Amino acid sequence: MPTSRNGSQILRLALLAVLLTGSLAPALQAQLLWNSTANYQYNVDSLIYVPSTHVLTVVFSVTNPMSANTPYNILSGVAPYPAGVASLRVVVGWTNNSYGLPEFTNTAAITTVTRTWMTAVPPTAPNGVAPAAPVSLNALAGPTAAKPCGAAGSPPFCPTGRFWMITTLPAQVSGVGRLLIEGHPSEQTGFDALNQPVYASVPVKTLARDFAIDTATPRRQIVEFNKCKQCHDDRQHGNTIVPRLSLHGANRNEEPAACVVCHNPNQTDAAYRASGAEQSVDFKRMVHSIHAGGFRKTPFSVVGFRGTVVDFSQVRFPSELRNCTKCHIDDGRKGTFELRQVTKLGSTINTGSVINNTTSSTVDRDPSNDLRISPIAATCSGCHDSAEVRSHMISKGASFGAYQSVLEGKEQCVTCHGPGRSEDVRRAHEIRTSGSTYDR
């Protein structure tokens, strides 16, 4: 999120450190060690999925590309993987191919999860409490911790210096799986006044690796990260310093392919809310809403970890907001921003969860009863959210709170806004084939 480089940014990062560790001893410094990222790389050495048992085995490593890819001992308990400070997780999501285009949904058998607001994830919820969360395994500690190659039970092709994990995915997995390795090593930068070590996080680029479950058709790539970096580079753009993309406590870094695993059409902020209406955090809707924060008629805010409210209404896109090619893939003739006449999942805005800030909340993870915004409207209304435009969308078949079975195939947007039509997105947004905009 664009922000100025001032005390408020440092305070925000310091508070984030407290949220992550529960204390400041040993402490995480506010800054991120971007200059150290060249010394770390996540690798998947072997990935085997057995459809009949849903067992996934992964052999992986964290290596130093600057030192002949020497592997790190992630279980050492000392820097760069000090116990209780560093983070490393293996995350697995999966698509549902029933809606025309593959989308991550992570649908599993658990349909409800009860938790007391802001407490730890219940052990009965192996893939979290959010409505459409993937399976997430702690590689550093606890019952899911990785084991070193050579330990009892090591799988084949498990070289020295590597680690392995085995997990059984839910029986409902389908489509294409995506395995992520995410987290952050922590390097010591000094000592505090109590002579406790002070650490700073290294935002290592998240790794994403697809594998077939019952199909080999992956979710299509929508944006090109090199384009994201044209703004997200920790430099001044206009009157704003735009930070590099390190999110969720420096655990998910500079890899949009990881974002969409959690930020999928079935996902809302229900798991963290104490009150109020749920907000969709589907990537296509959320990112447009964030970038258009200063353009929207209605402020866009999301409730995050431990009930933190994040309001994006002060965001100002540091370029031409109408120029979709600033983020989207485009070859001048066909762009991923152009509308497609394919049935897709709408963005959930109401999961049916029972949200309460004084007693236990029940998060509904059954997507069949979700109320949704139809998919094209969910995307376009992220920026174009005025009452007038909303009425126009509804008149052309859009829904703002309907079951998937009701909204499927109803949107007529492509009639005018489809590729080559009178008001296609390229023309309406005044985008030249070179990616620049023009005046009509």
Side-chain angles (χ1 to χ4, degrees):
M1 179 179 64
T3 183
S4 59
R5 182 167 289 174
N6 53 29
S8 65
Q9 181 185 19
I10 299 300
L11 176 61
R12 183 183 306 159
L13 291 169
L15 290 173
L16 182 58
V18 177
L19 292 177
L20 286 171
T21 64
S23 70
L24 285 176
L28 285 170
Q29 284 188 332
Q31 83 271 19
L32 299 177
L33 299 181
W34 285 106
N35 289 338
S36 292
T37 57
N39 299 321
Y40 299 89
Q41 178 177 290
Y42 299 142
N43 313 282
V44 172
D45 298 279
S46 174
L47 190 157
I48 300 173
Y49 175 71
V50 180
S52 60
T53 60
H54 308 295
V55 171
L56 179 70
T57 304
V58 58
V59 177
F60 67 98
S61 59
V62 184
T63 58
N64 184 351
M66 306 304 291
S67 181
N69 280 317
T70 303
Y72 291 96
N73 181 1
I74 63 172
L75 301 181
S76 66
V78 298
Y81 283 95
V85 179
S87 173
L88 186 65
R89 302 189 78 88
V90 171
V91 176
V92 185
W94 52 95
T95 64
N96 185 316
N97 298 332
S98 301
Y99 300 98
L101 293 173
E103 287 280 8
F104 287 97
T105 61
N106 308 323
T107 304
I110 299 174
T111 55
T112 60
V113 176
T114 301
R115 73 178 299 185
T116 302
W117 184 58
M118 289 175 61
T119 60
V121 175
T124 54
N127 52 331
V129 296
V135 170
S136 181
L137 307 171
N138 186 348
L140 300 182
T144 65
K147 297 180 176 60
C149 288
S154 293
F157 313 110
C158 201
T160 301
R162 274 57 176 173
F163 295 84
W164 58 277
M165 302 174 76
I166 295 179
T167 188
T168 301
L169 300 179
Q172 294 75 22
V173 296
S174 64
V176 169
R178 179 167 291 172
L179 181 138
L180 311 175
I181 300 180
E182 63 179 36
H184 60 82
S186 297
E187 296 183 354
Q188 186 174 344
T189 58
F191 294 89
D192 65 13
L194 300 177
N195 204 35
Q196 294 293 310
V198 175
Y199 296 97
S201 299
V202 182
V204 180
K205 180 180 174 66
T206 300
L207 180 148
R209 173 72 63 83
D210 287 354
F211 63 96
I213 295 177
D214 58 20
T215 181
T217 304
R219 184 186 188 274
R220 67 175 181 146
Q221 183 181 354
I222 307 295
V223 299
E224 172 55 56
F225 182 66
N226 285 333
K227 293 186 175 185
C228 303
K229 290 196 295 184
Q230 298 303 306
C231 292
H232 287 279
D233 58 2
D234 265 347
R235 296 177 181 175
Q236 186 92 21
H237 294 268
N239 60 358
T240 303
I241 296 288
V242 183
R244 292 180 67 172
L245 285 171
S246 179
L247 303 163
H248 301 286
N251 287 310
R252 290 137 204 176
N253 306 303
E254 299 198 326
E255 180 50 88
C259 304
V260 296
V261 173
C262 291
H263 290 280
N264 60 63
N266 291 350
Q267 194 71 284
T268 75
D269 62 358
Y272 305 109
R273 278 194 170 271
S275 61
E278 298 173 52
Q279 180 69 266
S280 168
V281 292
D282 181 10
F283 206 60
K284 63 178 178 285
R285 179 166 178 79
M286 183 184 74
V287 171
H288 285 95
S289 298
I290 291 173
H291 283 168
F295 175 81
R296 288 171 54 92
K297 304 298 182 183
T298 304
F300 179 74
S301 63
V302 174
V303 178
F305 187 57
R306 296 194 177 182
T308 304
V309 179
V310 184
D311 185 346
F312 295 98
S313 59
Q314 298 304 311
V315 172
R316 298 295 183 271
F317 192 66
S319 186
E320 290 182 286
L321 185 62
R322 65 183 177 178
N323 189 354
C324 311
T325 65
K326 288 294 182 180
C327 303
H328 284 262
I329 295 171
D330 178 48
D331 65 5
R333 298 178 302 277
K334 183 179 181 181
T336 58
F337 55 85
E338 296 180 281
L339 304 190
R340 304 175 72 183
Q341 185 62 67
V342 180
T343 301
K344 300 183 293 294
L345 270 172
S347 298
T348 295
I349 56 172
N350 187 339
T351 61
S353 298
V354 179
I355 297 172
N356 194 309
N357 67 343
T358 58
T359 61
S360 295
S361 292
T362 301
V363 179
D364 190 321
R365 300 194 55 172
D366 179 3
S368 67
N369 62 0
D370 289 2
L371 296 179
R372 304 173 183 267
I373 303 177
S374 46
I376 296 176
T379 304
C380 298
S381 65
C383 296
H384 304 285
D385 69 327
S386 70
E388 180 183 10
V389 173
R390 179 181 172 125
S391 294
H392 169 73
M393 293 177 180
I394 293 173
S395 72
K396 302 302 180 182
S399 298
F400 287 81
Y403 296 121
Q404 179 68 27
S405 59
V406 173
L407 59 81
E408 283 183 13
K410 300 295 177 59
E411 290 182 307
Q412 304 164 28
C413 312
V414 296
T415 303
C416 297
H417 300 294
R421 302 300 177 90
S422 60
E423 291 294 330
D424 70 6
V425 176
R426 195 178 295 273
R427 181 182 298 274
H429 280 224
E430 302 176 345
I431 301 170
R432 292 183 184 273
T433 55
S434 63
S436 61
T437 56
Y438 65 90
D439 295 322
R440 285 197 286 185

